[in-house]
Amino acid sequence: MGAFRYQALEVLLRQQIQTGRFKVGEKLPSVRTLCKLHEMSKATVVHALHKLEADQLIYAVPKSGYFVNEANADYNAPQKVSTPSVPALVNVPDIFRDIMSRSAAFDILPTDDPVPVAQHLVTLNRMIGKASRTHPEQKAHYYDEPKGHVGLRQAIADLYRQRETQLTPDDLCITSGCQHALFLALMAACQPGDTVAIESPAFYGVLQQLEQLGLHVIEISSDPNTGIDLQELAEKIQDWPIKACIVTPNFNTPTGARMPIEHIRSLLQLAHQHDFFIIEDDIYGELRFRSELCPPIKNECREGRVILCSSFSKCLSRELRIGWVAGGALHAKIVQLKLITQLASPQAVQEGLAEFIHQGHFKRYVNQYRQQLKEQRDQLLDELKRYWGGQIKFSKPHGGLSCWVELPNQIDTQKSYKLLLEKGIVLTPGVLFSAHGLYKNHMRLSFSQPLTERRRAALHLLFQTLLENQ
Amino acid sequence: MGAFRYQALEVLLRQQIQTGRFKVGEKLPSVRTLCKLHEMSKATVVHALHKLEADQLIYAVPKSGYFVNEANADYNAPQKVSTPSVPALVNVPDIFRDIMSRSAAFDILPTDDPVPVAQHLVTLNRMIGKASRTHPEQKAHYYDEPKGHVGLRQAIADLYRQRETQLTPDDLCITSGCQHALFLALMAACQPGDTVAIESPAFYGVLQQLEQLGLHVIEISSDPNTGIDLQELAEKIQDWPIKACIVTPNFNTPTGARMPIEHIRSLLQLAHQHDFFIIEDDIYGELRFRSELCPPIKNECREGRVILCSSFSKCLSRELRIGWVAGGALHAKIVQLKLITQLASPQAVQEGLAEFIHQGHFKRYVNQYRQQLKEQRDQLLDELKRYWGGQIKFSKPHGGLSCWVELPNQIDTQKSYKLLLEKGIVLTPGVLFSAHGLYKNHMRLSFSQPLTERRRAALHLLFQTLLENQ
């Protein structure tokens, strides 16, 4: 396709968006209209649109078209941080264990009033209870099959179909949460001493696993909006061949970044060229705030290179401890590893959960939860902008549970951890998200809880402590 | 103490038992009486008694004394098999996966009528259900602490106190079953390439883990009554230093062997001299058929060398997927590994289970279950003796779920696996229990299910197939 031609259209549309010719939320002309209008091929038009999508100016809604994104001018996004060019073994700070024992710190004030009893949890518990009363002696005497309950695997496949992704029950294996799934994926794909590429910043739970498994890590700079820098990845793996790349394409923690489809395809192409596996953490995949479907990377791969890992912990309940893995080419090995590491999963919870999804309760609940999270995100970001907008930068995710905050250079967020903890406030310092001790002046803030008056006060105390202790 | 003096008493008592001066089930004179009678020190008398206990002529009942054991003359125990003298990497046969997917084959006829609904499971489910309705939103939003629910850890410590073993809740970490506990123990104690000693025959679940973790295995011949041969262990580790020794002191699967206290102390002494860890699988520890208390090895060790692993799967329910590990000197590392491999355990099941134990339901149930298992063992062994007593040898365990059967040399039990499976009969071949392909003419038989008419017929068909296909 003509490189100049698609660029001409890209520049034109970019101008029209920036000058307000197309307003926020407005639908762009259809691909067919643009083809006619500019006398271009479909491929050229789609290429231009993908470029604009990658730059977050527009977003795609399946079966509808492209829409103008919210402008990012009203806030400062954190800067992409450059990363070391050589792999290293991970050395996770001691603070990690403490943070994890505080429920992974998705709440800055865990002592605040609990949210009121949610009806969906009552329904879910009822269904699990019913399943546990069905053939209890059978369940007590015989283990579940290693892959997990087939009805639940079907239900999970159904959820992916709603995200335009084809999976069969046989493609899936039930695990004890996403952490367990990621561990099995890493064990299956890598040997001690191998090198793995990760986003930077990256999920600290994975960093711990990499440390334990004796894997070398190469950090790849990542944009708080669009995720992993594929140019940098392509360059680094020239020097340092990798066995796997771990990414969270949809609403990565801590930044909330989402990979544009074009980036996903480039990543797959690199994986193919350099023969590595993609370990995809899809745990936030259901928590989108816009009408995009956010299919997983897995959807784009036909050759079994993607190991999809996820769970119900973030979108439904952390109590279930039910996750899954679709291991692609490594699936049989992963099922075997599940058997070795924990034999089987509990059956009643799987049966009850399958029924919950089957009856449509999951879909109803997650729709409502997305709306709630979006409101909580807006609450949090408004507060950040209003009070500290001049001093800090923060990401604006379109899904997930958290945003990434960059503070002035001289601030070390980890330093205030203990002081704040004495006041019942749990800060999640940026250093947790790097294998090389980057992000000293960053932190993750979650909007998974409503910004109650007490949490608002905690947030103010947190910033006061950080900004005053420079 | 005088070596000759204790031997004199040992010989005397042995004669008195063998000539019927002391009858089966009869109590021997107390230690104090024996001291007076023979003018010996307490240490000398106890030493002689321990020797007789090691030879299974007597058994100890705490706070009561020593009792004469059932004579073993009425059946042929399988022979101890000699093992290779060099460590090797494990290569588990393919059949393993198939067996495991059939619920580990503790039932030769899984299609038989399920046992009637057991009241204790109804009670247990009610308590778990109640716990899941208590603060459901809290449980959905916050992970459990990495070590697990403190009430359940206290309840488990209480169960050990009843076996004269002191553990605190802090000594324990909840896992996803015993398999998970053993995996964490091996990961914490060993590095790839290290050598581990195992009993032979040994639990196949552990063999799989050793294979996956790239550990070398040295098999130690084990007696179907008294377990691992400590003389052989002492000799082999001179040439092949080990990082850990994995044993099931109480009612080892497949043989049902129980280690005498004297052997346990020798093992601990070896561990101390040669600086290795003892990974203790206590999963059958509660399933004793006699009034012995069967404390774990852990009870004898003050220096943190024993990693105790267990679960409720065999003594209460396989559905719970709740196990535990008391990691001794490696405990902090193991808790960290639990966090890495699965983050947290579900909370309601732990709370409900703690309440179930606290209210005395566990104790009541397990007392009744022991009686039931003992009767089922007798049913099975009577059948074996009556029909195939001349052709086979089998162990007679005083606890646990299974016995070990030795068939004539020319029979390969694995060969009949598929043929029998077509008839719905699951045979557990002996090769599964060795890292080196030993035990071709052995199999494990479980008495975890009642010998119904259909199971009896299956057993006859099984032996007919094995003995006719020579």
Side-chain angles (χ1 to χ4, degrees):
Chain A
M1 81 194 67
F4 299 105
R5 292 192 57 94
Y6 90 77
Q7 281 176 342
L9 178 58
E10 182 195 336
V11 168
L12 177 70
L13 288 173
R14 191 183 292 270
Q15 279 173 349
Q16 291 180 324
I17 289 165
Q18 282 165 350
T19 56
R21 159 77 183 80
F22 295 117
K23 304 251 172 334
V24 172
E26 191 176 338
K27 188 173 173 299
L28 292 191
S30 71
V31 171
R32 183 193 276 190
T33 309
L34 289 169
C35 287
K36 256 196 203 158
L37 208 62
H38 301 282
E39 294 181 342
M40 285 170 172
S41 71
K42 191 182 163 194
T44 308
V45 167
V46 166
H47 197 195
L49 290 169
H50 279 173
K51 284 282 176 193
L52 294 171
E53 193 189 4
D55 287 349
Q56 305 258 306
L57 271 90
I58 60 174
Y59 62 94
V61 176
K63 290 171 195 154
S64 179
Y66 286 88
F67 290 76
V68 176
N69 212 340
E70 297 164 275
N72 287 341
D74 61 340
Y75 81 106
N76 274 319
Q79 297 299 301
K80 192 160 72 177
V81 169
S82 67
T83 52
S85 56
V86 175
L89 288 168
V90 184
N91 200 341
V92 174
D94 290 338
I95 205 174
F96 168 86
R97 217 176 309 182
D98 201 66
I99 291 260
M100 292 301 277
S101 71
R102 290 165 209 290
S103 213
F106 272 100
D107 185 358
I108 59 165
L109 195 67
T111 56
D112 201 3
D113 298 334
V115 284
V117 177
Q119 188 53 42
H120 73 286
L121 292 176
V122 176
T123 308
L124 179 59
N125 279 337
R126 184 163 47 75
M127 290 179 170
I128 294 170
K130 191 179 167 198
S132 73
R133 290 187 302 273
T134 312
H135 303 308
E137 63 296 330
Q138 200 75 14
K139 293 186 170 87
H141 270 94
Y142 302 95
Y143 292 111
D144 188 27
E145 66 169 310
K147 272 189 178 179
H149 185 256
V150 67
L152 179 59
R153 287 184 281 128
Q154 181 62 63
I156 292 168
D158 291 346
L159 293 179
Y160 277 107
R161 211 178 40 242
Q162 292 167 23
R163 289 166 66 195
E164 295 196 323
T165 305
Q166 299 302 323
L167 286 172
T168 69
D170 271 349
D171 296 331
L172 292 159
C173 173
I174 302 299
T175 64
S176 182
C178 190
Q179 185 82 359
H180 187 211
L182 290 165
F183 186 75
L184 299 180
L186 276 171
M187 274 196 98
C190 307
Q191 297 286 326
D194 284 347
T195 301
V196 170
I198 58 167
E199 300 167 286
S200 180
F203 169 49
Y204 44 70
V206 161
L207 294 180
Q208 280 275 307
Q209 296 181 339
L210 296 166
E211 182 183 43
Q212 175 57 36
L213 293 170
L215 296 166
H216 294 262
V217 167
I218 185 124
E219 285 191 56
I220 310 297
S221 306
S222 298
D223 183 277
N225 287 313
T226 58
I228 192 162
D229 183 327
L230 290 159
Q231 186 66 36
E232 186 176 314
L233 177 67
E235 284 161 17
K236 282 185 170 170
I237 61 179
Q238 296 285 354
D239 296 331
W240 309 104
I242 58 172
K243 274 288 175 63
C245 176
I246 311 174
V247 286
T248 306
N250 290 310
F251 320 119
N252 165 43
T253 190
T255 62
R258 178 161 180 250
M259 282 177 78
I261 182 72
E262 198 171 62
H263 290 203
I264 285 175
R265 287 176 186 155
S266 302
L267 175 61
L268 280 163
Q269 215 173 342
L270 280 178
H272 181 71
Q273 282 163 4
H274 296 269
D275 192 23
F276 61 82
F277 285 98
I278 296 169
I279 299 178
E280 172 175 27
D281 182 349
D282 188 41
I283 197 165
Y284 305 103
E286 287 281 356
L287 299 182
R288 56 185 181 267
F289 302 159
R290 303 188 299 202
S291 44
E292 317 149 288
L293 290 184
C294 303
I297 300 177
K298 182 98 187 155
N299 186 44
E300 294 289 323
C301 176
R302 292 286 156 268
E303 54 176 342
R305 259 183 207 289
V306 177
I307 307 172
L308 173 69
C309 302
S310 192
S311 97
F312 290 107
S313 294
K314 301 295 195 281
C315 58
L316 182 55
S317 167
R318 287 162 179 79
E319 166 71 349
L320 293 166
R321 307 308 304 127
I322 293 287
W324 60 89
V325 54
L330 295 178
H331 199 58
K333 192 171 176 187
I334 285 173
V335 175
Q336 178 72 351
L337 284 170
K338 186 235 175 142
L339 188 66
I340 293 172
T341 54
Q342 77 155 49
L343 217 58
S345 307
Q347 300 166 73
V349 62
Q350 294 182 76
E351 277 177 43
L353 187 48
E355 187 62 21
F356 183 83
I357 298 168
H358 184 67
Q359 291 193 12
H361 295 290
F362 178 80
K363 199 175 169 186
R364 270 192 294 279
Y365 167 68
V366 85
N367 273 332
Q368 171 239 305
Y369 187 45
R370 284 173 192 138
Q371 189 55 39
Q372 180 193 332
L373 284 175
K374 185 168 185 281
E375 283 162 19
Q376 288 170 189
R377 175 202 66 178
D378 291 341
Q379 271 185 323
L380 177 67
L381 298 197
D382 285 352
E383 196 78 3
L384 294 182
K385 198 169 77 178
R386 174 176 315 178
Y387 291 97
W388 307 283
Q391 294 164 279
I392 67 170
K393 296 172 179 175
F394 51 91
S395 64
K396 183 177 182 177
H398 299 289
L401 295 180
S402 66
C403 77
W404 187 229
V405 178
E406 180 188 333
L407 292 130
N409 258 326
Q410 67 277 19
I411 292 179
D412 183 344
T413 51
Q414 195 180 347
K415 270 193 187 162
S416 302
Y417 177 77
K418 284 210 168 154
L419 186 68
L420 284 162
L421 201 56
E422 285 165 18
K423 296 170 183 170
I425 298 169
V426 186
L427 174 152
T428 312
V431 284
L432 271 187
F433 302 91
S434 165
H436 295 88
L438 305 172
Y439 309 114
K440 287 206 188 314
N441 60 321
H442 290 69
M443 67 176 166
R444 182 182 71 181
L445 280 179
S446 173
F447 41 83
S448 74
Q449 301 293 325
L451 199 59
T452 56
E453 274 318 301
R454 288 192 60 214
R455 277 201 189 82
R456 192 184 302 266
L459 189 70
H460 280 257
L461 190 53
L462 184 147
F463 273 105
Q464 203 183 335
T465 307
L466 284 173
L467 296 168
E468 281 181 0
N469 281 354
Q470 296 184 32
Chain B
M1 84 191 69
F4 298 105
R5 291 192 58 94
Y6 90 77
Q7 280 175 343
L9 178 59
E10 183 195 336
V11 168
L12 176 72
L13 288 173
R14 190 184 294 270
Q15 279 174 349
Q16 292 180 323
I17 289 166
Q18 281 165 350
T19 56
R21 160 76 183 78
F22 296 116
K23 305 249 171 337
V24 171
E26 192 177 337
K27 189 174 173 297
L28 292 191
S30 70
V31 171
R32 185 195 276 192
T33 307
L34 290 170
C35 288
K36 258 197 204 157
L37 208 61
H38 301 283
E39 294 182 341
M40 285 171 173
S41 71
K42 190 181 165 194
T44 307
V45 168
V46 166
H47 197 193
L49 291 168
H50 279 174
K51 284 284 175 191
L52 294 171
E53 192 188 5
D55 287 349
Q56 305 260 307
L57 271 90
I58 59 173
Y59 62 93
V61 176
K63 289 171 197 152
S64 180
Y66 285 89
F67 290 77
V68 177
N69 212 341
E70 297 164 278
N72 286 342
D74 63 337
Y75 81 106
N76 274 319
Q79 297 300 303
K80 193 160 73 176
V81 169
S82 66
T83 52
S85 57
V86 175
L89 288 168
V90 185
N91 200 342
V92 174
D94 289 340
I95 205 175
F96 169 86
R97 219 175 309 184
D98 201 65
I99 291 260
M100 292 302 277
S101 70
R102 290 167 210 287
S103 214
F106 272 100
D107 185 358
I108 60 165
L109 194 68
T111 56
D112 200 3
D113 298 333
V115 284
V117 177
Q119 188 53 42
H120 73 285
L121 292 176
V122 176
T123 308
L124 179 59
N125 278 337
R126 184 163 47 75
M127 289 180 172
I128 295 171
K130 191 178 167 199
S132 73
R133 290 188 301 275
T134 311
H135 303 309
E137 63 295 328
Q138 199 75 12
K139 292 186 172 87
H141 270 95
Y142 302 95
Y143 292 111
D144 187 27
E145 65 169 311
K147 274 190 179 178
H149 185 256
V150 67
L152 179 59
R153 287 185 279 130
Q154 180 63 61
I156 292 168
D158 292 346
L159 292 179
Y160 277 107
R161 210 178 38 241
Q162 293 167 21
R163 289 167 67 196
E164 297 198 322
T165 305
Q166 299 302 324
L167 287 171
T168 69
D170 271 350
D171 295 330
L172 293 158
C173 173
I174 302 301
T175 64
S176 183
C178 190
Q179 184 82 359
H180 187 212
L182 289 164
F183 187 76
L184 300 180
L186 277 171
M187 276 195 98
C190 308
Q191 297 286 325
D194 284 347
T195 300
V196 170
I198 59 167
E199 298 166 287
S200 180
F203 169 50
Y204 44 70
V206 161
L207 294 179
Q208 281 276 306
Q209 295 181 339
L210 295 166
E211 182 183 44
Q212 175 56 40
L213 293 170
L215 295 167
H216 294 264
V217 167
I218 185 124
E219 285 192 54
I220 311 296
S221 306
S222 299
D223 183 276
N225 286 314
T226 57
I228 192 163
D229 183 328
L230 291 160
Q231 186 66 36
E232 186 176 316
L233 178 66
E235 283 161 19
K236 283 185 169 169
I237 60 179
Q238 296 285 352
D239 295 332
W240 309 104
I242 57 171
K243 272 291 175 60
C245 176
I246 311 176
V247 287
T248 306
N250 290 309
F251 320 120
N252 165 42
T253 190
T255 62
R258 178 161 181 251
M259 282 177 77
I261 181 72
E262 199 170 62
H263 290 204
I264 285 175
R265 288 178 187 155
S266 301
L267 176 61
L268 279 163
Q269 215 173 343
L270 280 177
H272 181 70
Q273 281 163 7
H274 295 269
D275 192 22
F276 61 81
F277 285 98
I278 296 169
I279 299 178
E280 172 176 26
D281 182 348
D282 188 40
I283 196 165
Y284 304 104
E286 287 281 356
L287 299 182
R288 56 184 181 268
F289 301 160
R290 302 189 298 201
S291 45
E292 316 150 290
L293 290 184
C294 303
I297 301 178
K298 182 95 186 158
N299 185 44
E300 294 288 324
C301 177
R302 293 286 157 269
E303 53 177 341
R305 258 181 208 290
V306 178
I307 308 173
L308 172 71
C309 301
S310 192
S311 97
F312 291 106
S313 294
K314 301 296 194 282
C315 60
L316 183 56
S317 166
R318 287 163 180 76
E319 166 70 350
L320 293 167
R321 308 307 304 125
I322 293 288
W324 59 89
V325 54
L330 296 178
H331 199 60
K333 193 172 174 188
I334 286 173
V335 175
Q336 178 71 350
L337 284 169
K338 185 235 176 144
L339 189 66
I340 292 172
T341 54
Q342 76 156 44
L343 217 58
S345 307
Q347 299 166 74
V349 63
Q350 294 182 77
E351 278 176 43
L353 187 48
E355 187 63 19
F356 183 82
I357 298 168
H358 184 67
Q359 291 193 12
H361 297 289
F362 178 79
K363 199 176 169 185
R364 270 193 294 280
Y365 167 67
V366 86
N367 273 333
Q368 172 240 302
Y369 188 45
R370 283 173 194 140
Q371 188 55 37
Q372 181 192 331
L373 284 175
K374 184 167 184 282
E375 284 162 19
Q376 287 170 190
R377 175 202 66 177
D378 291 340
Q379 272 186 322
L380 177 67
L381 297 198
D382 285 351
E383 196 78 4
L384 294 182
K385 198 168 76 177
R386 173 177 316 182
Y387 291 96
W388 306 285
Q391 294 166 278
I392 67 168
K393 296 173 179 174
F394 51 91
S395 63
K396 183 178 182 177
H398 299 289
L401 295 181
S402 67
C403 77
W404 186 229
V405 178
E406 181 188 331
L407 292 132
N409 257 326
Q410 67 277 18
I411 292 179
D412 183 345
T413 51
Q414 194 181 347
K415 270 193 187 163
S416 302
Y417 177 78
K418 282 209 170 155
L419 187 67
L420 285 163
L421 200 57
E422 284 166 18
K423 297 170 183 170
I425 297 169
V426 186
L427 174 150
T428 312
V431 286
L432 271 187
F433 300 92
S434 164
H436 294 89
L438 304 172
Y439 310 113
K440 287 206 190 312
N441 59 320
H442 291 70
M443 68 176 165
R444 182 182 70 182
L445 280 179
S446 172
F447 42 83
S448 76
Q449 301 292 327
L451 199 59
T452 57
E453 274 319 301
R454 288 190 61 216
R455 277 201 190 83
R456 193 185 302 266
L459 190 69
H460 280 257
L461 191 53
L462 184 146
F463 273 105
Q464 202 182 337
T465 308
L466 283 174
L467 296 168
E468 281 180 1
N469 281 354
Q470 297 186 29

